[in-house]
Coordinates of all heavy atoms in Angstrom, one line a residue:
M1 N 258.8 80.4 105.3 CA 258.5 80.6 106.7 C 259.6 81.5 107.3 O 260.7 81.4 107.0 CB 258.5 79.2 107.4 CG 258.3 79.4 108.9 SD 258.5 77.9 109.9 CE 257.1 77.0 109.5
Q2 N 259.1 82.5 108.0 CA 260.0 83.5 108.7 C 260.6 82.9 109.9 O 259.9 82.2 110.7 CB 259.2 84.7 109.0 CG 260.1 85.8 109.5 CD 259.3 87.1 109.8 OE1 258.1 87.1 109.7 NE2 260.0 88.2 110.1
R3 N 261.9 83.1 110.1 CA 262.6 82.6 111.3 C 262.4 83.5 112.5 O 262.2 84.7 112.3 CB 264.1 82.4 111.0 CG 264.3 81.4 109.8 CD 265.8 81.0 109.8 NE 266.0 80.1 108.7 CZ 266.1 78.8 108.9 NH1 266.0 78.3 110.0 NH2 266.3 78.0 107.8
I4 N 262.4 82.9 113.6 CA 262.2 83.6 114.9 C 263.5 83.5 115.7 O 264.1 82.5 115.9 CB 261.1 83.0 115.7 CG1 259.8 83.1 114.9 CG2 261.0 83.7 117.1 CD1 258.6 82.4 115.6
S5 N 264.0 84.7 116.1 CA 265.3 84.7 116.8 C 265.1 84.4 118.3 O 264.0 84.5 118.8 CB 265.9 86.1 116.7 OG 265.2 87.1 117.5
L6 N 266.2 84.0 118.9 CA 266.2 83.7 120.4 C 265.7 85.0 121.1 O 264.9 84.9 122.1 CB 267.6 83.3 120.8 CG 267.7 83.0 122.3 CD1 266.8 81.9 122.8 CD2 269.1 82.7 122.7
N7 N 266.2 86.1 120.7 CA 265.8 87.4 121.4 C 264.3 87.6 121.3 O 263.7 88.0 122.3 CB 266.5 88.6 120.8 CG 266.2 89.8 121.5 OD1 266.4 89.9 122.8 ND2 265.8 90.9 120.8
Q8 N 263.7 87.3 120.2 CA 262.2 87.5 120.1 C 261.5 86.5 121.0 O 260.5 86.9 121.6 CB 261.8 87.2 118.6 CG 262.2 88.3 117.6 CD 261.9 87.9 116.2 OE1 262.3 86.8 115.8 NE2 261.2 88.7 115.5
V9 N 262.0 85.3 121.1 CA 261.3 84.3 122.0 C 261.5 84.8 123.4 O 260.5 84.8 124.2 CB 261.9 82.9 121.8 CG1 261.4 82.0 122.8 CG2 261.6 82.4 120.4
Q10 N 262.7 85.2 123.8 CA 262.9 85.6 125.2 C 262.1 86.8 125.6 O 261.5 86.9 126.7 CB 264.4 85.8 125.4 CG 265.2 84.5 125.4 CD 266.7 84.8 125.5 OE1 267.2 85.8 125.1 NE2 267.4 83.8 126.0
T11 N 262.0 87.8 124.7 CA 261.3 89.0 125.1 C 259.8 88.8 125.0 O 259.1 89.5 125.8 CB 261.7 90.2 124.2 OG1 261.5 89.9 122.8 CG2 263.2 90.6 124.4
S12 N 259.3 87.9 124.2 CA 257.9 87.7 124.1 C 257.4 86.9 125.3 O 256.2 86.9 125.6 CB 257.5 87.0 122.8 OG 258.0 85.7 122.8
E13 N 258.3 86.2 126.0 CA 257.9 85.4 127.2 C 258.0 86.2 128.5 O 257.7 85.7 129.5 CB 258.8 84.2 127.2 CG 258.5 83.2 126.1 CD 257.1 82.7 126.0 OE1 256.5 82.3 127.1 OE2 256.6 82.6 124.9
Q14 N 258.5 87.4 128.4 CA 258.6 88.3 129.6 C 257.3 89.0 129.8 O 256.7 89.5 128.8 CB 259.8 89.2 129.5 CG 261.1 88.5 129.4 CD 262.3 89.5 129.3 OE1 262.1 90.7 129.0 NE2 263.5 89.0 129.3
F15 N 256.9 89.2 131.0 CA 255.7 89.9 131.3 C 255.7 90.5 132.7 O 256.5 90.2 133.5 CB 254.4 89.0 131.1 CG 254.5 87.8 132.0 CD1 253.9 87.9 133.3 CD2 255.1 86.7 131.6 CE1 254.0 86.8 134.1 CE2 255.1 85.5 132.4 CZ 254.6 85.6 133.7
F16 N 254.8 91.5 132.9 CA 254.7 92.1 134.2 C 253.4 91.5 134.8 O 252.4 91.4 134.2 CB 254.4 93.7 134.1 CG 255.7 94.4 133.6 CD1 255.7 94.9 132.3 CD2 256.8 94.5 134.4 CE1 256.8 95.6 131.9 CE2 257.9 95.2 134.0 CZ 257.9 95.8 132.7
M17 N 253.5 91.2 136.1 CA 252.4 90.6 136.8 C 251.6 91.8 137.4 O 252.2 92.7 138.0 CB 252.8 89.7 137.9 CG 253.5 88.4 137.3 SD 254.0 87.3 138.6 CE 252.6 86.9 139.5
V18 N 250.3 91.8 137.2 CA 249.4 92.9 137.7 C 248.5 92.2 138.7 O 247.7 91.3 138.3 CB 248.6 93.5 136.6 CG1 247.7 94.6 137.1 CG2 249.5 94.0 135.5
P19 N 248.6 92.6 140.0 CA 247.7 92.0 141.0 C 246.2 92.2 140.7 O 245.8 93.4 140.4 CB 248.1 92.7 142.3 CG 249.5 93.3 142.0 CD 249.5 93.6 140.5
K20 N 245.4 91.2 140.8 CA 244.0 91.3 140.5 C 243.3 92.3 141.5 O 242.4 92.9 141.1 CB 243.4 89.9 140.7 CG 241.9 89.8 140.4 CD 241.4 88.4 140.5 CE 240.0 88.3 140.1 NZ 239.5 86.9 140.2
A21 N 243.9 92.4 142.7 CA 243.3 93.3 143.7 C 243.2 94.7 143.2 O 242.3 95.5 143.6 CB 244.1 93.3 145.0
L22 N 244.2 95.1 142.3 CA 244.2 96.5 141.7 C 242.9 96.7 140.9 O 242.5 97.9 140.7 CB 245.4 96.7 140.9 CG 246.7 96.8 141.7 CD1 247.9 97.0 140.7 CD2 246.7 97.8 142.7
F23 N 242.2 95.7 140.5 CA 241.0 95.8 139.7 C 239.7 95.5 140.4 O 238.7 96.0 140.0 CB 241.1 94.9 138.4 CG 242.2 95.4 137.5 CD1 243.5 94.8 137.6 CD2 242.0 96.3 136.5 CE1 244.5 95.2 136.8 CE2 243.0 96.7 135.7 CZ 244.3 96.2 135.8
V24 N 239.8 94.7 141.5 CA 238.6 94.3 142.2 C 238.4 94.9 143.6 O 237.3 95.0 144.1 CB 238.5 92.8 142.2 CG1 238.4 92.2 140.8 CG2 239.6 92.1 142.9
A25 N 239.5 95.2 144.2 CA 239.4 95.7 145.6 C 239.0 97.2 145.6 O 239.5 98.0 144.8 CB 240.7 95.5 146.3
E26 N 238.0 97.5 146.5 CA 237.4 98.8 146.5 C 238.4 100.0 146.5 O 238.3 100.9 145.8 CB 236.5 98.9 147.7 CG 235.7 100.2 147.8 CD 234.8 100.5 146.6 OE1 234.2 99.5 146.1 OE2 234.7 101.6 146.2
P27 N 239.5 99.9 147.4 CA 240.4 101.1 147.4 C 241.1 101.4 146.1 O 241.6 102.5 145.9 CB 241.4 100.7 148.5 CG 240.9 99.5 149.2 CD 239.9 98.9 148.3
Y28 N 241.2 100.4 145.2 CA 242.0 100.6 144.0 C 241.1 100.8 142.7 O 241.7 101.0 141.7 CB 242.9 99.4 143.8 CG 243.7 99.1 145.0 CD1 243.6 97.9 145.7 CD2 244.7 100.0 145.5 CE1 244.3 97.6 146.8 CE2 245.4 99.8 146.6 CZ 245.2 98.6 147.3 OH 246.0 98.3 148.4
Q29 N 239.8 100.6 142.8 CA 239.0 100.7 141.6 C 239.0 102.0 140.9 O 238.8 102.0 139.7 CB 237.6 100.2 142.0 CG 237.5 98.8 142.3 CD 236.1 98.3 142.6 OE1 235.2 99.1 142.8 NE2 235.9 97.0 142.5
Q30 N 239.2 103.1 141.6 CA 239.3 104.4 141.0 C 240.7 104.7 140.5 O 240.9 105.8 139.8 CB 238.8 105.5 141.9 CG 237.4 105.3 142.4 CD 236.4 105.3 141.3 OE1 236.5 106.1 140.3 NE2 235.5 104.3 141.3
M31 N 241.7 103.9 140.7 CA 243.0 104.1 140.3 C 243.1 104.1 138.8 O 242.5 103.2 138.2 CB 244.0 103.1 140.9 CG 245.4 103.3 140.6 SD 246.5 102.0 141.3 CE 246.5 102.5 143.1
K32 N 243.9 105.0 138.2 CA 244.0 105.0 136.7 C 244.8 103.8 136.3 O 245.7 103.3 137.0 CB 244.7 106.3 136.3 CG 243.8 107.5 136.6 CD 244.6 108.8 136.2 CE 243.7 110.0 136.4 NZ 243.2 110.2 137.7
I33 N 244.6 103.3 135.0 CA 245.3 102.2 134.5 C 246.8 102.4 134.4 O 247.5 101.5 134.6 CB 244.7 101.7 133.1 CG1 245.2 100.4 132.7 CG2 244.9 102.8 132.1 CD1 244.7 99.2 133.5
E34 N 247.2 103.6 134.1 CA 248.6 103.9 134.1 C 249.3 103.7 135.4 O 250.4 103.2 135.5 CB 248.9 105.3 133.6 CG 248.5 105.6 132.2 CD 247.1 106.3 132.1 OE1 246.3 106.2 133.1 OE2 246.8 106.9 131.1
S35 N 248.6 104.0 136.5 CA 249.1 103.8 137.8 C 249.2 102.3 138.2 O 250.2 101.9 138.8 CB 248.3 104.5 138.9 OG 248.2 105.9 138.6
K36 N 248.2 101.5 137.7 CA 248.3 100.1 137.9 C 249.4 99.5 137.2 O 250.1 98.6 137.7 CB 246.9 99.5 137.5 CG 245.8 99.9 138.4 CD 244.4 99.4 137.9 CE 243.3 100.0 138.7 NZ 242.0 99.4 138.3
M37 N 249.7 99.9 136.0 CA 250.8 99.4 135.2 C 252.1 99.8 135.8 O 253.1 99.0 135.9 CB 250.7 99.8 133.8 CG 249.6 99.1 133.0 SD 249.5 97.3 133.2 CE 251.1 96.8 132.5
A38 N 252.2 101.1 136.3 CA 253.4 101.6 136.9 C 253.7 100.8 138.2 O 254.9 100.4 138.5 CB 253.3 103.0 137.2
Y39 N 252.7 100.4 138.9 CA 252.8 99.6 140.1 C 253.5 98.3 139.7 O 254.4 97.8 140.4 CB 251.5 99.3 140.8 CG 251.6 98.4 142.0 CD1 251.8 98.9 143.2 CD2 251.4 97.0 141.8 CE1 252.0 98.0 144.3 CE2 251.5 96.1 142.8 CZ 251.8 96.6 144.1 OH 251.9 95.7 145.1
S40 N 253.0 97.7 138.7 CA 253.6 96.4 138.3 C 255.0 96.5 137.8 O 255.9 95.6 138.1 CB 252.8 95.8 137.1 OG 251.4 95.5 137.6
I41 N 255.4 97.5 137.1 CA 256.7 97.8 136.7 C 257.6 98.0 137.9 O 258.7 97.4 138.0 CB 256.8 99.0 135.8 CG1 256.1 98.7 134.4 CG2 258.3 99.4 135.5 CD1 255.8 99.9 133.6
L42 N 257.2 98.8 138.9 CA 258.0 99.1 140.1 C 258.1 97.9 141.0 O 259.1 97.7 141.6 CB 257.4 100.3 140.8 CG 257.4 101.6 140.0 CD1 256.6 102.7 140.7 CD2 258.9 102.1 139.8
K43 N 257.0 97.1 141.0 CA 257.1 95.9 141.8 C 258.1 94.9 141.3 O 258.9 94.3 142.1 CB 255.7 95.2 141.8 CG 255.6 93.9 142.5 CD 255.6 94.2 144.0 CE 255.3 92.9 144.8 NZ 255.3 93.0 146.2
E44 N 258.3 94.8 140.0 CA 259.4 94.0 139.5 C 260.7 94.5 139.8 O 261.6 93.8 140.2 CB 259.2 93.9 137.9 CG 260.3 93.0 137.3 CD 260.1 92.9 135.8 OE1 259.3 92.1 135.4 OE2 260.9 93.5 135.1
R45 N 260.9 95.8 139.8 CA 262.1 96.5 140.2 C 262.4 96.3 141.7 O 263.6 96.1 142.1 CB 262.1 98.0 139.8 CG 263.3 98.7 140.0 CD 264.5 98.1 139.1 NE 265.6 98.9 139.2 CZ 266.2 99.4 138.1 NH1 265.8 99.1 136.9 NH2 267.3 100.2 138.3
F46 N 261.3 96.3 142.5 CA 261.5 96.0 143.9 C 262.1 94.7 144.2 O 263.0 94.5 145.0 CB 260.1 96.1 144.5 CG 260.1 96.0 146.0 CD1 260.4 97.1 146.8 CD2 259.7 94.8 146.6 CE1 260.4 97.0 148.2 CE2 259.7 94.7 148.0 CZ 260.0 95.8 148.8
K47 N 261.7 93.7 143.4 CA 262.3 92.3 143.5 C 263.8 92.4 143.2 O 264.6 91.7 143.8 CB 261.6 91.3 142.6 CG 260.2 91.0 143.0 CD 259.5 90.1 142.0 CE 258.1 89.9 142.3 NZ 257.4 89.1 141.3
L48 N 264.2 93.2 142.2 CA 265.6 93.3 141.9 C 266.4 94.0 143.1 O 267.5 93.6 143.4 CB 265.8 94.2 140.6 CG 267.2 94.4 140.1 CD1 267.8 93.1 139.7 CD2 267.2 95.4 139.0
S49 N 265.8 94.9 143.7 CA 266.4 95.6 144.9 C 266.6 94.6 146.0 O 267.7 94.6 146.6 CB 265.5 96.7 145.4 OG 265.4 97.7 144.5
I50 N 265.7 93.7 146.2 CA 265.8 92.6 147.2 C 266.9 91.7 146.8 O 267.8 91.3 147.7 CB 264.5 91.9 147.5 CG1 263.5 92.9 148.1 CG2 264.7 90.7 148.3 CD1 262.1 92.3 148.2
K51 N 266.9 91.3 145.6 CA 268.0 90.4 145.1 C 269.4 90.9 145.3 O 270.3 90.2 145.7 CB 267.7 90.1 143.6 CG 268.8 89.2 143.0 CD 268.5 89.0 141.5 CE 269.6 88.2 140.8 NZ 269.4 88.0 139.4
H52 N 269.5 92.2 145.1 CA 270.8 92.9 145.2 C 271.1 93.4 146.6 O 272.1 94.0 146.9 CB 271.0 94.0 144.2 CG 271.1 93.5 142.8 ND1 272.2 92.8 142.3 CD2 270.3 93.6 141.8 CE1 272.1 92.5 141.1 NE2 270.9 93.0 140.7
K53 N 270.1 93.1 147.5 CA 270.2 93.5 148.9 C 270.4 95.0 149.1 O 271.3 95.4 149.9 CB 271.4 92.7 149.6 CG 271.1 91.2 149.6 CD 272.2 90.4 150.3 CE 271.8 88.9 150.1 NZ 272.8 88.0 150.5
W54 N 269.6 95.8 148.4 CA 269.6 97.2 148.6 C 268.7 97.6 149.7 O 267.6 98.0 149.6 CB 269.2 97.9 147.3 CG 270.2 97.7 146.2 CD1 271.5 97.3 146.2 CD2 269.9 97.7 144.8 NE1 272.0 97.2 145.0 CE2 271.1 97.4 144.1 CE3 268.7 98.0 144.1 CZ2 271.1 97.4 142.7 CZ3 268.8 98.0 142.7 CH2 270.0 97.7 142.0
I55 N 269.2 97.3 150.9 CA 268.4 97.4 152.2 C 269.2 98.2 153.2 O 270.4 98.0 153.3 CB 268.1 96.0 152.7 CG1 267.4 95.2 151.7 CG2 267.3 96.1 154.0 CD1 267.3 93.7 152.0
D56 N 268.6 99.2 153.8 CA 269.3 100.0 154.8 C 269.3 99.3 156.2 O 268.8 98.1 156.3 CB 268.7 101.4 154.9 CG 267.3 101.4 155.5 OD1 266.8 100.4 156.1 OD2 266.6 102.4 155.4
E57 N 270.0 99.9 157.1 CA 270.2 99.3 158.4 C 268.9 99.1 159.2 O 268.8 98.2 160.1 CB 271.1 100.1 159.3 CG 270.6 101.6 159.6 CD 270.9 102.6 158.5 OE1 271.6 102.2 157.5 OE2 270.3 103.7 158.5
S58 N 267.8 99.7 158.8 CA 266.5 99.5 159.4 C 265.7 98.4 158.7 O 264.5 98.1 159.1 CB 265.7 100.8 159.4 OG 266.3 101.8 160.1
G59 N 266.2 97.8 157.7 CA 265.5 96.8 156.9 C 264.6 97.3 155.8 O 263.9 96.5 155.2
N60 N 264.7 98.6 155.5 CA 263.9 99.2 154.4 C 264.6 98.9 153.1 O 265.8 99.1 153.0 CB 263.7 100.7 154.6 CG 262.9 100.9 155.9 OD1 261.9 100.3 156.2 ND2 263.5 101.9 156.7
V61 N 263.8 98.5 152.1 CA 264.3 98.2 150.8 C 264.4 99.5 149.9 O 263.4 100.3 149.9 CB 263.5 97.2 150.0 CG1 264.0 96.9 148.7 CG2 263.4 95.9 150.9
Y62 N 265.5 99.8 149.3 CA 265.6 100.9 148.4 C 265.1 100.5 147.0 O 265.4 99.5 146.5 CB 267.1 101.3 148.2 CG 267.7 102.0 149.4 CD1 268.4 101.3 150.4 CD2 267.5 103.4 149.6 CE1 269.0 102.0 151.5 CE2 268.0 104.1 150.7 CZ 268.7 103.4 151.6 OH 269.3 104.0 152.7
L63 N 264.3 101.4 146.5 CA 263.7 101.2 145.2 C 264.1 102.4 144.3 O 263.6 103.5 144.6 CB 262.2 101.0 145.2 CG 261.5 100.9 143.9 CD1 262.0 99.7 143.1 CD2 260.0 100.9 144.0
Y64 N 265.0 102.2 143.4 CA 265.4 103.3 142.5 C 264.9 103.0 141.1 O 265.3 101.9 140.5 CB 266.9 103.5 142.5 CG 267.3 104.6 141.6 CD1 267.1 105.9 141.8 CD2 268.0 104.2 140.4 CE1 267.5 106.9 141.0 CE2 268.4 105.2 139.5 CZ 268.2 106.5 139.8 OH 268.5 107.5 138.9
Y65 N 264.1 103.8 140.5 CA 263.6 103.7 139.1 C 263.4 105.1 138.6 O 262.4 105.8 139.0 CB 262.4 102.9 139.0 CG 262.1 102.3 137.7 CD1 262.7 101.1 137.3 CD2 261.3 103.0 136.7 CE1 262.5 100.6 136.0 CE2 261.1 102.4 135.5 CZ 261.7 101.3 135.1 OH 261.5 100.7 133.9
P66 N 264.3 105.6 137.8 CA 264.2 107.0 137.4 C 262.9 107.3 136.6 O 262.4 106.5 135.9 CB 265.4 107.2 136.4 CG 266.3 106.0 136.7 CD 265.4 104.9 137.2
N67 N 262.4 108.5 136.8 CA 261.2 109.0 136.1 C 261.3 108.8 134.6 O 260.3 108.5 134.0 CB 260.9 110.4 136.5 CG 260.3 110.6 137.9 OD1 260.0 109.6 138.6 ND2 260.2 111.8 138.4
D68 N 262.5 109.1 134.1 CA 262.6 109.1 132.6 C 262.4 107.6 132.1 O 261.9 107.4 131.0 CB 263.9 109.7 132.1 CG 265.1 109.0 132.6 OD1 265.1 108.5 133.8 OD2 266.2 108.9 131.9
K69 N 262.7 106.6 132.9 CA 262.5 105.3 132.4 C 261.0 105.0 132.5 O 260.5 104.3 131.6 CB 263.2 104.3 133.3 CG 264.7 104.2 133.0 CD 265.4 103.1 133.7 CE 266.8 103.0 133.3 NZ 267.4 101.7 133.7
L70 N 260.3 105.5 133.5 CA 258.8 105.3 133.5 C 258.1 106.0 132.4 O 257.2 105.5 131.8 CB 258.2 105.7 134.9 CG 258.1 104.7 136.0 CD1 257.5 105.2 137.2 CD2 257.4 103.4 135.5
V71 N 258.6 107.2 132.1 CA 258.1 107.9 130.9 C 258.2 107.1 129.7 O 257.2 106.9 128.9 CB 258.9 109.3 130.7 CG1 258.7 109.9 129.4 CG2 258.6 110.3 131.8
K72 N 259.3 106.5 129.5 CA 259.5 105.6 128.3 C 258.7 104.4 128.3 O 258.0 104.0 127.3 CB 261.0 105.3 128.1 CG 261.3 104.6 126.9 CD 262.8 104.4 126.7 CE 263.1 103.6 125.4 NZ 264.6 103.4 125.3
M73 N 258.6 103.7 129.5 CA 257.9 102.4 129.6 C 256.4 102.7 129.4 O 255.7 101.8 128.8 CB 258.2 101.8 130.9 CG 259.5 101.2 131.1 SD 259.8 99.7 130.1 CE 258.9 98.6 131.0
L74 N 255.9 103.7 130.0 CA 254.4 104.0 130.0 C 254.0 104.8 128.8 O 252.8 104.9 128.5 CB 254.0 104.7 131.3 CG 254.2 103.8 132.5 CD1 253.9 104.7 133.8 CD2 253.3 102.6 132.5
G75 N 254.9 105.5 128.1 CA 254.6 106.3 127.0 C 253.8 107.5 127.4 O 252.9 107.9 126.6
V76 N 254.2 108.1 128.5 CA 253.5 109.3 129.0 C 254.6 110.4 129.3 O 255.8 110.1 129.2 CB 252.7 109.0 130.3 CG1 251.6 108.0 130.0 CG2 253.6 108.5 131.4
G77 N 254.2 111.6 129.6 CA 255.1 112.6 129.9 C 255.6 112.6 131.3 O 255.0 111.9 132.2
K78 N 256.6 113.4 131.6 CA 257.2 113.5 132.9 C 256.2 113.9 134.0 O 256.1 113.4 135.1 CB 258.4 114.4 132.9 CG 259.1 114.5 134.2 CD 260.4 115.4 134.1 CE 261.1 115.5 135.5 NZ 262.2 116.4 135.4
D79 N 255.3 114.9 133.7 CA 254.3 115.4 134.6 C 253.4 114.3 135.0 O 252.9 114.1 136.1 CB 253.6 116.6 134.1 CG 254.5 117.8 134.0 OD1 255.5 117.9 134.7 OD2 254.1 118.8 133.3
K80 N 253.0 113.5 134.0 CA 252.1 112.3 134.2 C 252.7 111.3 135.1 O 252.1 110.8 136.0 CB 251.7 111.7 132.9 CG 250.8 110.5 133.0 CD 249.4 110.9 133.3 CE 248.4 109.8 133.1 NZ 247.1 110.1 133.3
V81 N 254.0 111.0 135.0 CA 254.7 110.1 135.8 C 254.7 110.6 137.3 O 254.5 109.8 138.2 CB 256.1 109.8 135.3 CG1 257.0 109.1 136.4 CG2 256.1 109.0 134.1
I82 N 254.9 111.9 137.4 CA 254.9 112.4 138.8 C 253.5 112.3 139.4 O 253.4 111.9 140.6 CB 255.3 113.9 138.8 CG1 256.8 114.0 138.4 CG2 255.1 114.6 140.1 CD1 257.3 115.4 138.1
R83 N 252.4 112.5 138.6 CA 251.1 112.3 139.2 C 250.8 110.8 139.5 O 250.2 110.5 140.5 CB 250.0 112.8 138.2 CG 250.0 114.3 138.1 CD 248.8 114.8 137.3 NE 248.7 114.4 136.0 CZ 249.2 115.0 134.9 NH1 250.0 116.1 135.1 NH2 249.1 114.6 133.7
I84 N 251.3 109.9 138.6 CA 251.2 108.5 138.9 C 251.9 108.1 140.2 O 251.3 107.4 141.0 CB 251.8 107.7 137.7 CG1 250.8 107.8 136.5 CG2 252.0 106.2 138.1 CD1 251.4 107.3 135.2
K85 N 253.1 108.6 140.4 CA 253.8 108.2 141.6 C 253.0 108.8 142.9 O 253.0 108.1 143.9 CB 255.2 108.8 141.6 CG 256.1 107.9 140.7 CD 257.6 108.4 140.8 CE 258.5 107.4 140.2 NZ 259.9 107.9 140.4
K86 N 252.5 109.9 142.7 CA 251.7 110.5 143.9 C 250.4 109.6 144.1 O 250.1 109.4 145.3 CB 251.3 111.9 143.6 CG 252.4 112.9 143.7 CD 252.0 114.3 143.4 CE 253.2 115.3 143.5 NZ 252.8 116.7 143.3
E87 N 249.8 109.2 143.1 CA 248.6 108.3 143.2 C 249.0 107.0 143.9 O 248.3 106.5 144.8 CB 248.0 108.0 141.9 CG 246.7 107.2 142.0 CD 245.9 107.0 140.7 OE1 246.5 107.1 139.6 OE2 244.7 106.8 140.8
L88 N 250.2 106.5 143.5 CA 250.7 105.2 144.1 C 251.0 105.4 145.6 O 250.8 104.4 146.4 CB 251.9 104.7 143.4 CG 251.6 104.1 142.0 CD1 252.9 103.7 141.3 CD2 250.6 102.9 142.0
Q89 N 251.4 106.5 146.0 CA 251.8 106.8 147.4 C 250.5 106.7 148.2 O 250.4 106.2 149.3 CB 252.4 108.1 147.7 CG 253.8 108.2 147.3 CD 254.4 109.6 147.5 OE1 253.7 110.6 147.5 NE2 255.7 109.6 147.8

């Protein structure tokens, strides 16, 4: 029997939550799947920003996630990431 490491268990139990609305609500039905996944990745990062209190004096939350990280996470090119971010706006 092959042994399973703690790291394998921990990483297999992590997931991104994808809101159902992105698939069923009319405004989002034409959105590309890559954009829906990018939304989920960025939403998780948004929670980290709140946790670390990256908030300006107006109460706006800073969300920093470099394009090169999205390129790697989504397995797409830089130009595609830029198009995805525009679609999300």
Side-chain angles (χ1 to χ4, degrees):
M1 178 188 287
Q2 186 177 6
R3 298 194 182 260
I4 299 172
S5 71
L6 176 61
N7 183 52
Q8 288 173 310
V9 173
Q10 289 173 334
T11 56
S12 70
E13 295 296 320
Q14 295 177 352
F15 57 91
F16 293 108
M17 293 180 60
V18 182
K20 186 176 180 179
L22 294 177
F23 294 92
V24 298
E26 183 63 35
Y28 309 113
Q29 288 182 345
Q30 298 303 315
M31 185 183 285
K32 293 177 179 56
I33 191 70
E34 294 98 339
S35 299
K36 293 174 183 183
M37 291 308 302
Y39 175 88
S40 297
I41 293 166
L42 295 171
K43 179 72 172 178
E44 182 176 283
R45 187 59 172 234
F46 185 78
K47 292 177 186 177
L48 183 66
S49 295
I50 292 170
K51 178 181 175 183
H52 290 291
K53 299 181 180 167
W54 296 336
I55 302 167
D56 68 12
E57 61 279 350
S58 300
N60 299 312
V61 179
Y62 286 97
L63 175 63
Y64 177 73
Y65 200 86
N67 286 351
D68 61 327
K69 285 192 175 190
L70 268 180
V71 163
K72 186 174 180 181
M73 289 289 287
L74 296 172
V76 299
K78 185 178 178 181
D79 291 340
K80 178 77 170 187
V81 165
I82 291 168
R83 288 193 300 274
I84 287 169
K85 284 186 169 183
K86 286 181 182 178
E87 184 173 25
L88 290 174
Q89 282 181 331

